Amino acid sequence: MLLKAAINGGRTRDEFPAVPLTADQIARESAAALAAGADVVHAHARTPDGGQTIDPVHVGAMVRAFRAAAPGGAIGTTTGLWTCSGHEERMRLLAAWPEDALPDFASVAFSEEGAAEAAELVLARGMVLESAVWSMADVPALLASPTLHHNVRILIEPEEEDAVAAVALCRAIAAALRDAGVTAPILYHGFDGTVWPVIRAAIEDGCETRVGLEDGLTREDGERATGNAELIAAVRALEPVIA
């Protein structure tokens, strides 16, 4: 099972004092997550004040630091509209990501304006594409996209706060995608209270999954995790118990 480490997202130091923010911190945390059993890393570049960004200067610095710390590893990042002023700026920034420090893959959320165009640019720049859906309402836009069959995986990210509802939504969206002929691997992941039930469902369903400080700060027993490496190791330990 592919396991992705989502090491920081938009988490703040108030939420988790050791969340990696600088390029060097992201690189070190990424290397530790890979050593703990992650297959790939998803990280958000951050500005000096901690904000999330897709500015080419910060994305390039993050990727270069990662490659120095984790040779042969793969890192991806977001293209989320919350990192900039809107779709037009997103397209300008993605087009300016440095050729010598492109992320290996990038995620595009089909809940957002301009997602299909952003997905086409990700591929045109030579990166691997992941497309994300957050609800059943996002599925038609994904299925209509010209990049549908060029995804390395489809991410299902339920916004439901109830764990049972989140798992049910993951499974319903996965079924709709398969019924529509999507053959790419599917990855489920939750947020905070839904993280561990969704991970268990992903393992049960033979899907990919992810874990890390972006998604949740606690182990399955509810205790605060020490960091990304502990969360990764916990999923790897859970896998043979469920599979």
Side-chain angles (χ1 to χ4, degrees):
M1 177 189 72
L2 182 134
L3 177 57
K4 181 190 294 185
I7 65 169
N8 62 352
R11 295 288 183 184
T12 68
R13 288 277 167 82
D14 288 340
E15 292 176 281
F16 196 92
V19 66
L21 301 180
T22 69
D24 286 342
Q25 290 166 355
I26 291 169
R28 288 194 299 270
E29 192 75 1
S30 296
L34 292 168
D39 295 297
V40 297
V41 172
H42 172 81
H44 293 197
R46 307 291 281 265
T47 59
D49 65 359
Q52 300 172 77
T53 183
I54 56 170
D55 183 277
V57 171
H58 297 297
V59 170
M62 178 181 74
V63 172
R64 291 186 185 101
F66 172 86
R67 298 224 166 106
I75 188 169
T77 195
T78 184
T79 63
L81 289 182
W82 62 87
T83 64
C84 58
S85 65
H87 177 59
E88 289 186 8
E89 185 183 22
R90 167 168 66 182
M91 294 296 285
R92 290 196 301 272
L93 294 174
L94 288 181
W97 283 1
E99 193 68 40
D100 67 336
L102 287 172
D104 297 287
F105 58 94
S107 305
V108 177
F110 272 75
S111 59
E112 295 182 337
E113 174 195 358
E117 188 180 13
E120 288 183 292
L121 182 55
V122 166
L123 291 172
R125 291 296 323 272
M127 290 172 281
V128 172
L129 172 67
E130 301 178 320
S131 294
V133 289
W134 297 354
S135 71
M136 193 65 78
D138 303 337
V139 171
L142 174 64
L143 294 179
S145 67
T147 58
L148 175 64
H149 297 296
H150 298 279
N151 283 285
V152 69
R153 64 186 60 86
I154 304 296
L155 315 178
I156 300 178
E157 310 178 8
E159 295 186 288
E160 301 283 351
E161 295 183 5
D162 176 77
V164 173
V167 168
L169 182 58
C170 285
R171 288 174 166 158
I173 292 174
L177 294 175
R178 293 297 186 227
D179 288 346
V182 173
T183 59
I186 289 174
L187 183 151
Y188 303 168
H189 75 90
F191 183 76
D192 284 346
T194 68
V195 166
W196 291 101
V198 167
I199 286 172
R200 281 183 168 268
I203 297 171
E204 290 170 3
D205 294 356
C207 292
E208 300 177 355
T209 193
R210 81 177 203 185
V211 74
L213 297 177
E214 176 176 352
D215 295 341
L217 306 178
T218 61
R219 306 191 308 251
E220 191 171 18
D221 64 7
E223 293 298 314
R224 178 65 64 103
T226 57
N228 287 294
E230 183 181 19
L231 294 169
I232 292 292
V235 175
R236 287 301 187 203
L238 190 61
E239 194 176 353
V241 175
I242 296 175

